[in-house]
Amino acid sequence: QVQLVESGGGLVQTGASLRLSCAASGRPLSNYLVGWFRQSPGKEREWVAAIRGNPESGAYYADSLKGRFTVSVDYLKNTVFLQMNNLKPEDTAVYICAARSGEGWSDAENQYDYWGRGTQVTVSS
C-alpha cells in the first residue's frame, strides 16, 4: 500500500508559479510511476505529467503543458514535485497525484492504483 498526500496549492495571480508536493509513505516511490492529474468543476479529470520514482528515469508531460510544468522526484524524501510556472486561469483545478505499480508509463486514470486527495490551485486573472 502507498499513501499519497499532496500539498502546495493555493491562490495565485496569473503568471505566478507554484510547486506542488506529493509525499508518499508505505513503499519507496522507486517502485512506482507517479502521475499528476487535475480536475476542474464540470470537466473530466486530465492527466498532467508522470515520472518514475527513481532519479534515472525520464518524465512525461501532456503536450499542452510542456514548457510550463516540470515534474521531479526526490527519492530520498520519497516525494514527487510538480513545478508550475506562468500559471493561467485555466490551470485552476484540484491537482491530484497517483501511483502506478509495474513497468511502463500511462496517462490513463484506470492504470493507477493509489490516489491522494488533491490540493486546490486557483489562478486569478
Side-chain angles (χ1 to χ4, degrees), residues 2-5 22-29 34 77-80 97 99:
V2 176
Q3 293 79 43
L4 303 170
V5 178
C22 173
S25 60
R27 295 283 176 87
L29 282 180
V34 178
K77 294 182 179 179
N78 220 31
T79 298
V80 171
C97 67

Side-chain angles (χ1 to χ4, degrees), residues 58-76:
Y60 310 89
Y61 298 94
D63 287 342
S64 62
L65 300 173
K66 278 182 183 176
R68 291 197 300 124
F69 287 18
T70 304
V71 63
S72 61
V73 59
D74 184 331
Y75 71 101
L76 293 179

Side-chain angles (χ1 to χ4, degrees), residues 53-113:
N54 70 68
E56 298 178 350
S57 295
Y60 310 89
Y61 298 94
D63 287 342
S64 62
L65 300 173
K66 278 182 183 176
R68 291 197 300 124
F69 287 18
T70 304
V71 63
S72 61
V73 59
D74 184 331
Y75 71 101
L76 293 179
K77 294 182 179 179
N78 220 31
T79 298
V80 171
F81 302 97
L82 182 67
Q83 176 69 41
M84 307 186 296
N85 297 327
N86 190 22
L87 283 162
K88 305 174 181 181
E90 52 264 41
D91 295 319
T92 295
V94 175
Y95 284 74
I96 309 160
C97 67
R100 175 181 184 270
S101 56
E103 300 296 321
W105 78 279
S106 177
D107 59 1
E109 282 184 66
N110 62 8
Q111 296 298 306
Y112 286 79
D113 305 299

